[in-house]
Amino acid sequence: MTKLSYVDLQILYLGIKNHGRFDENNIENSELKKLGIGKILDQLASLKERNLIETNKDGSFLVTDMARHILWDEKIPLWLRILRLLEIKSNDIRKISSFLELSQDQIISEIENLRKRHLILMSPLRIETGIVKMYEILPDGIDQISKTKSDGFNQPPEVGKFQIEILSIIDETIEEIKELQEISNLRKEKLISNLLKVKEKLEI
């Protein structure tokens, strides 16, 4: 898969929002104009060389199927599209849903599953209007993207090693509590109940 820079993403998304086509006027009316004409021309040339955009006869640009396949192809599982997007740049839910052209409700469930599998990390970020949840990809998430190149993407990502280790530790601790003689059965049951709640939160 062709890797995208954040500027690549912004340009392609400009086309995606406009039914696959964009022109100089679209660029001029977007945040991209801050980059300057030279930078934009270089970026457009790079995208064209990588077969991510084509030039139409009227001078406008067309987002190719190869480019759509990266983030905007419904045949690609949503969890993988989210990981690919976060590999380009960390974002909040609003930005993720916007770039992927999906509702926040569609994104939230997948985001939570990826977080539980330790493929992405959520960090609160304070801004002028309050606090937003920023999501960034973790090394295991990048590894998961690499695996899809050889293993395909029909199977959802496996539970991370870190999570498996935690679940194993919880199981061992529960068994040790059961063997304790120094505390009452009522106390044991309460401790085990708390650990099982933690385990339930970790499991998917």
Side-chain angles (χ1 to χ4, degrees):
M1 184 197 77
T2 301
K3 287 194 174 183
L4 302 179
S5 69
Y6 187 56
V7 177
D8 289 335
L9 172 63
Q10 288 178 298
I11 293 175
L12 293 175
Y13 178 57
L14 190 62
I16 293 296
K17 288 192 301 181
N18 288 281
H19 308 290
R21 293 175 179 268
F22 65 99
D23 56 25
E24 293 178 2
N25 290 328
N26 297 130
I27 294 173
E28 180 64 26
N29 294 322
S30 73
E31 293 182 358
L32 289 165
K33 65 180 179 181
K34 299 176 183 177
L35 298 176
I37 295 176
K39 175 66 174 176
I40 291 174
L41 291 176
D42 287 345
Q43 211 70 34
L44 290 172
S46 174
L47 288 170
K48 191 172 180 180
E49 287 175 4
R50 288 176 283 161
N51 298 316
L52 299 178
I53 62 172
E54 296 174 351
T55 305
N56 297 311
K57 291 181 180 180
D58 61 1
S60 63
F61 301 95
L62 176 69
V63 177
T64 66
D65 288 340
M66 181 182 291
R68 289 180 180 275
H69 186 70
I70 299 173
L71 293 173
W72 300 284
D73 186 344
E74 292 184 359
K75 295 178 182 178
I76 306 298
L78 180 53
W79 61 263
L80 180 54
R81 283 181 277 158
I82 292 173
L83 288 179
R84 286 177 176 178
L85 177 60
L86 293 180
E87 187 179 25
I88 299 169
K89 183 177 174 60
S90 301
N91 276 298
D92 60 19
I93 287 288
R94 183 181 62 82
K95 278 284 190 179
I96 294 170
S97 65
S98 178
F99 276 127
L100 295 181
E101 294 278 283
L102 296 170
S103 70
Q104 292 189 29
D105 288 339
Q106 289 174 284
I107 298 295
I108 289 172
S109 176
E110 288 290 347
I111 281 281
E112 186 60 18
N113 283 340
L114 291 171
R115 188 190 64 78
K116 286 181 178 180
R117 294 177 188 275
H118 303 282
L119 300 178
I120 63 174
L121 175 69
M122 188 281 289
S123 302
L125 177 66
R126 185 176 295 278
I127 59 176
E128 291 182 2
T129 56
I131 295 177
V132 297
K133 296 178 179 179
M134 292 294 293
Y135 294 90
E136 62 181 287
I137 194 167
L138 292 172
D140 281 350
I142 295 174
D143 288 343
Q144 188 65 47
I145 293 175
S146 297
K147 285 180 182 178
T148 62
K149 297 174 183 177
S150 57
D151 301 342
F153 47 73
N154 292 324
Q155 296 297 323
E158 297 177 354
V159 177
K161 294 180 181 178
F162 180 68
Q163 183 174 347
I164 293 173
E165 290 173 0
I166 292 177
L167 295 174
S168 177
I169 291 171
I170 290 175
D171 287 337
E172 290 178 8
T173 304
I174 288 174
E175 291 304 314
E176 289 180 8
I177 289 173
K178 289 179 181 179
E179 298 298 322
L180 289 176
Q181 303 295 327
E182 296 84 2
I183 59 176
S184 66
N185 288 335
L186 184 62
R187 179 63 175 162
K188 287 182 186 179
E189 289 174 4
K190 185 173 181 180
L191 292 172
I192 291 173
S193 175
N194 288 338
L195 288 171
L196 289 175
K197 288 178 182 177
V198 173
K199 185 177 179 181
E200 184 180 349
K201 292 290 185 181
L202 288 170
E203 289 179 324
I204 298 175

